[in-house]
Amino acid sequence: MIHEGKNLINLSKMLERFDHDRELVGEVMDVFVAETPERVRRLADAAKQGDMEQLVRLAHSLKGVCGTMHAEPLRELSYQVEMAARAGKAQVASELVPQVLIMLGDLSHYLETAAAGDLPPG
């Protein structure tokens, strides 16, 4: 499942949310990118161990960050993981986590590029 970065996040809405403060948006992107490897590791470990409580927390946190950044596809997928884990549906959650990890990596890669100057005008 390969995603075009521009389909993963609405940078115009993100800029609007942060009052067009390009420096702040760049910092938010940098933090997201820097935190991605640890997020990936923790999500993968929780899924592998079948730790539904941890998956709920991690997916909920990722959902919130994605909502703030207007990264709707990953926000929605994180929500699905959170709900499956809350319901104790370990099989469903563990099937969704690899999709989250791919999308998270794709978004992180795109944000590295966007933070280097691909932000829309505004």
Side-chain angles (χ1 to χ4, degrees), residues 3-117:
H3 300 278
E4 253 328 288
K6 292 181 189 239
N7 294 330
L8 290 174
I9 188 167
N10 187 323
L11 291 175
S12 295
K13 283 188 177 181
M14 185 178 175
L15 274 168
E16 190 176 306
R17 168 163 279 168
F18 290 98
D19 294 325
H20 300 278
D21 184 336
R22 298 171 86 72
E23 185 176 330
L24 179 57
V25 168
E27 289 175 19
V28 170
M29 291 175 164
D30 288 344
V31 169
F32 184 88
V33 169
E35 291 178 349
T36 293
E38 181 65 12
R39 260 188 223 278
V40 166
R41 185 193 65 73
R42 294 177 72 201
L43 280 162
D45 286 351
K48 182 178 178 182
Q49 296 168 5
D51 186 341
M52 294 299 105
E53 285 184 33
Q54 181 72 342
L55 269 181
V56 167
R57 284 191 293 276
L58 294 169
H60 181 79
S61 173
L62 182 57
K63 178 186 74 175
V65 169
C66 290
T68 298
M69 293 175 45
H70 290 278
E72 186 56 29
L74 186 53
R75 189 206 64 77
E76 176 59 33
L77 194 53
S78 299
Y79 173 76
Q80 291 175 23
V81 171
E82 180 186 358
M83 291 298 101
R86 279 190 195 281
K89 297 179 179 176
Q91 181 69 31
V92 173
S94 67
E95 289 172 1
L96 291 171
V97 168
Q99 295 173 49
V100 168
L101 299 180
I102 290 168
M103 197 179 292
L104 182 54
D106 289 349
L107 178 58
S108 180
H109 177 74
Y110 176 71
L111 291 177
E112 281 184 292
T113 304

